[in-house]
Amino acid sequence: MKRKSILFGLLLLALITGVAAGAQTPALTLELSGINAVDLPRVDVTVNVYDTLGQPLNGLTAENFRLSGPLAEVATITRVENIANNALPFASVLVIDASDSMAGAPIEQARAAARTYVENVRPIDPVAVVAFGSTVELLQDFTTDRDALLAAIDSIDLLGRTALYQAAHEGVNLANNAPEPRRAMVLLSDGAEYGGLSTVTPEDVFENAFLNGVPSYTIGLGFGADRSFLEQLSTETLAQFFESPTPDELEAIYQALADRLSSQYILTLEVNAP
């Protein structure tokens, strides 16, 4: 499949981190977390760098990265930006399952976790809130107004069946039209597509998310979540899938995502290859 060949080709660009000249190199961990190849030959690669304790490492510059692997001879790093150090805004879309199966504790847990996320992103980071059931509803467009976002989250009500594919597709589209070039979607669901309400297929969603370079973090709440769809969507976009968290784990996941997305590096590459 063409999408797969592009993805794996870019993954061969092994990104190696170091430290300032003369310093001892620690055991760092580098995690690819997004590829945006919409504007070829320019490719934006999003990465997270962690220290030996697993904490995000900020303060690296272009001198700390180099390319290796088969494409190193045709690709050049032209710019490195750190979202935290350079105070770059990051836009995110919270897509929350509000189908009937979320009634009671699950929807309360989802609201609490989304509130945690909003309360921990930086004041400069716009967030949008989407809920879905039989329909997909934009409860709050991108804004940095924390009170408006919390009010939108508190307003989430049950919406019937589960148009999971449609929600993911529209969440990607919303993220793709974010006011910032740095963006991601965070999708929470406790179930699978139900009711035949989506007008798109899973493959449509994967293709849309990958080709538009929208990292899609997915969370399966409980044992009825469509693990296959959620995991593949996150894998296709180099994001991460979280499965069946407890209430405490759910809030911790949203806390960690808020921290992760605000500490990434954006590497701009010039790729002179077919």
Side-chain angles (χ1 to χ4, degrees), residues 71-85:
L71 297 183
E73 295 182 0
V74 295
T76 304
I77 299 175
T78 60
R79 183 172 60 183
V80 172
E81 298 173 288
N82 180 229
I83 288 177
N85 286 6

PDB file of all heavy atoms in Angstrom, residues 71-85:
ATOM      1  N   LEU A  71      18.104   6.982   3.847  1.00  0.00           N
ATOM      2  CA  LEU A  71      17.703   8.270   3.284  1.00  0.00           C
ATOM      3  C   LEU A  71      18.560   9.437   3.771  1.00  0.00           C
ATOM      4  O   LEU A  71      18.314  10.580   3.407  1.00  0.00           O
ATOM      5  CB  LEU A  71      16.231   8.559   3.616  1.00  0.00           C
ATOM      6  CG  LEU A  71      15.215   7.589   3.027  1.00  0.00           C
ATOM      7  CD1 LEU A  71      13.797   8.023   3.363  1.00  0.00           C
ATOM      8  CD2 LEU A  71      15.376   7.469   1.525  1.00  0.00           C
ATOM      9  N   ALA A  72      19.565   9.149   4.573  1.00  0.00           N
ATOM     10  CA  ALA A  72      20.381  10.232   5.123  1.00  0.00           C
ATOM     11  C   ALA A  72      21.060  11.049   4.030  1.00  0.00           C
ATOM     12  O   ALA A  72      21.268  12.247   4.184  1.00  0.00           O
ATOM     13  CB  ALA A  72      21.425   9.654   6.077  1.00  0.00           C
ATOM     14  N   GLU A  73      21.408  10.383   2.903  1.00  0.00           N
ATOM     15  CA  GLU A  73      22.120  11.093   1.843  1.00  0.00           C
ATOM     16  C   GLU A  73      21.216  12.038   1.056  1.00  0.00           C
ATOM     17  O   GLU A  73      21.702  12.921   0.350  1.00  0.00           O
ATOM     18  CB  GLU A  73      22.763  10.084   0.882  1.00  0.00           C
ATOM     19  CG  GLU A  73      23.853   9.246   1.535  1.00  0.00           C
ATOM     20  CD  GLU A  73      24.485   8.292   0.552  1.00  0.00           C
ATOM     21  OE1 GLU A  73      24.071   8.301  -0.635  1.00  0.00           O
ATOM     22  OE2 GLU A  73      25.387   7.533   0.953  1.00  0.00           O
ATOM     23  N   VAL A  74      19.894  11.872   1.168  1.00  0.00           N
ATOM     24  CA  VAL A  74      18.982  12.713   0.382  1.00  0.00           C
ATOM     25  C   VAL A  74      18.095  13.586   1.251  1.00  0.00           C
ATOM     26  O   VAL A  74      17.206  14.272   0.751  1.00  0.00           O
ATOM     27  CB  VAL A  74      18.100  11.853  -0.552  1.00  0.00           C
ATOM     28  CG1 VAL A  74      18.949  11.168  -1.597  1.00  0.00           C
ATOM     29  CG2 VAL A  74      17.289  10.845   0.255  1.00  0.00           C
ATOM     30  N   ALA A  75      18.327  13.557   2.545  1.00  0.00           N
ATOM     31  CA  ALA A  75      17.509  14.367   3.449  1.00  0.00           C
ATOM     32  C   ALA A  75      18.407  15.224   4.325  1.00  0.00           C
ATOM     33  O   ALA A  75      19.499  14.806   4.719  1.00  0.00           O
ATOM     34  CB  ALA A  75      16.629  13.474   4.315  1.00  0.00           C
ATOM     35  N   THR A  76      17.947  16.428   4.603  1.00  0.00           N
ATOM     36  CA  THR A  76      18.697  17.370   5.428  1.00  0.00           C
ATOM     37  C   THR A  76      17.771  17.974   6.479  1.00  0.00           C
ATOM     38  O   THR A  76      16.627  18.327   6.180  1.00  0.00           O
ATOM     39  CB  THR A  76      19.264  18.514   4.565  1.00  0.00           C
ATOM     40  OG1 THR A  76      20.057  17.948   3.518  1.00  0.00           O
ATOM     41  CG2 THR A  76      20.116  19.457   5.404  1.00  0.00           C
ATOM     42  N   ILE A  77      18.267  18.079   7.699  1.00  0.00           N
ATOM     43  CA  ILE A  77      17.520  18.778   8.737  1.00  0.00           C
ATOM     44  C   ILE A  77      17.741  20.268   8.544  1.00  0.00           C
ATOM     45  O   ILE A  77      18.867  20.754   8.633  1.00  0.00           O
ATOM     46  CB  ILE A  77      17.983  18.356  10.144  1.00  0.00           C
ATOM     47  CG1 ILE A  77      17.753  16.863  10.361  1.00  0.00           C
ATOM     48  CG2 ILE A  77      17.246  19.174  11.221  1.00  0.00           C
ATOM     49  CD1 ILE A  77      18.289  16.340  11.680  1.00  0.00           C
ATOM     50  N   THR A  78      16.682  21.004   8.256  1.00  0.00           N
ATOM     51  CA  THR A  78      16.816  22.440   7.999  1.00  0.00           C
ATOM     52  C   THR A  78      16.427  23.298   9.200  1.00  0.00           C
ATOM     53  O   THR A  78      16.821  24.464   9.282  1.00  0.00           O
ATOM     54  CB  THR A  78      15.950  22.859   6.795  1.00  0.00           C
ATOM     55  OG1 THR A  78      14.570  22.570   7.075  1.00  0.00           O
ATOM     56  CG2 THR A  78      16.390  22.119   5.542  1.00  0.00           C
ATOM     57  N   ARG A  79      15.659  22.719  10.124  1.00  0.00           N
ATOM     58  CA  ARG A  79      15.254  23.501  11.297  1.00  0.00           C
ATOM     59  C   ARG A  79      14.808  22.565  12.408  1.00  0.00           C
ATOM     60  O   ARG A  79      14.228  21.516  12.157  1.00  0.00           O
ATOM     61  CB  ARG A  79      14.106  24.444  10.933  1.00  0.00           C
ATOM     62  CG  ARG A  79      13.657  25.364  12.083  1.00  0.00           C
ATOM     63  CD  ARG A  79      12.654  26.399  11.588  1.00  0.00           C
ATOM     64  NE  ARG A  79      11.465  25.763  11.043  1.00  0.00           N
ATOM     65  CZ  ARG A  79      10.452  26.426  10.490  1.00  0.00           C
ATOM     66  NH1 ARG A  79      10.503  27.737  10.376  1.00  0.00           N
ATOM     67  NH2 ARG A  79       9.392  25.764  10.022  1.00  0.00           N
ATOM     68  N   VAL A  80      15.114  22.954  13.644  1.00  0.00           N
ATOM     69  CA  VAL A  80      14.653  22.223  14.819  1.00  0.00           C
ATOM     70  C   VAL A  80      14.024  23.222  15.775  1.00  0.00           C
ATOM     71  O   VAL A  80      14.645  24.211  16.142  1.00  0.00           O
ATOM     72  CB  VAL A  80      15.810  21.476  15.521  1.00  0.00           C
ATOM     73  CG1 VAL A  80      15.329  20.876  16.847  1.00  0.00           C
ATOM     74  CG2 VAL A  80      16.361  20.377  14.625  1.00  0.00           C
ATOM     75  N   GLU A  81      12.767  22.959  16.149  1.00  0.00           N
ATOM     76  CA  GLU A  81      12.073  23.829  17.092  1.00  0.00           C
ATOM     77  C   GLU A  81      11.574  22.997  18.266  1.00  0.00           C
ATOM     78  O   GLU A  81      11.134  21.866  18.090  1.00  0.00           O
ATOM     79  CB  GLU A  81      10.872  24.512  16.424  1.00  0.00           C
ATOM     80  CG  GLU A  81      11.233  25.409  15.258  1.00  0.00           C
ATOM     81  CD  GLU A  81       9.989  25.911  14.537  1.00  0.00           C
ATOM     82  OE1 GLU A  81       9.357  25.093  13.846  1.00  0.00           O
ATOM     83  OE2 GLU A  81       9.669  27.107  14.681  1.00  0.00           O
ATOM     84  N   ASN A  82      11.664  23.561  19.448  1.00  0.00           N
ATOM     85  CA  ASN A  82      11.142  22.919  20.652  1.00  0.00           C
ATOM     86  C   ASN A  82       9.884  23.662  21.071  1.00  0.00           C
ATOM     87  O   ASN A  82       9.909  24.875  21.302  1.00  0.00           O
ATOM     88  CB  ASN A  82      12.188  22.957  21.767  1.00  0.00           C
ATOM     89  CG  ASN A  82      11.710  22.300  23.043  1.00  0.00           C
ATOM     90  OD1 ASN A  82      11.821  22.858  24.119  1.00  0.00           O
ATOM     91  ND2 ASN A  82      11.161  21.094  22.943  1.00  0.00           N
ATOM     92  N   ILE A  83       8.759  22.953  21.134  1.00  0.00           N
ATOM     93  CA  ILE A  83       7.482  23.597  21.424  1.00  0.00           C
ATOM     94  C   ILE A  83       7.535  24.344  22.751  1.00  0.00           C
ATOM     95  O   ILE A  83       6.986  25.435  22.885  1.00  0.00           O
ATOM     96  CB  ILE A  83       6.352  22.550  21.415  1.00  0.00           C
ATOM     97  CG1 ILE A  83       6.079  22.119  19.965  1.00  0.00           C
ATOM     98  CG2 ILE A  83       5.073  23.085  22.053  1.00  0.00           C
ATOM     99  CD1 ILE A  83       5.050  21.036  19.819  1.00  0.00           C
ATOM    100  N   ALA A  84       8.211  23.764  23.740  1.00  0.00           N
ATOM    101  CA  ALA A  84       8.289  24.401  25.052  1.00  0.00           C
ATOM    102  C   ALA A  84       9.217  25.613  25.038  1.00  0.00           C
ATOM    103  O   ALA A  84       8.821  26.728  25.390  1.00  0.00           O
ATOM    104  CB  ALA A  84       8.744  23.392  26.099  1.00  0.00           C
ATOM    105  N   ASN A  85      10.457  25.409  24.604  1.00  0.00           N
ATOM    106  CA  ASN A  85      11.452  26.489  24.673  1.00  0.00           C
ATOM    107  C   ASN A  85      11.132  27.632  23.734  1.00  0.00           C
ATOM    108  O   ASN A  85      11.423  28.792  24.037  1.00  0.00           O
ATOM    109  CB  ASN A  85      12.850  25.944  24.361  1.00  0.00           C
ATOM    110  CG  ASN A  85      13.410  25.127  25.516  1.00  0.00           C
ATOM    111  OD1 ASN A  85      12.707  24.881  26.500  1.00  0.00           O
ATOM    112  ND2 ASN A  85      14.651  24.702  25.398  1.00  0.00           N
TER     113      ASN A  85
END
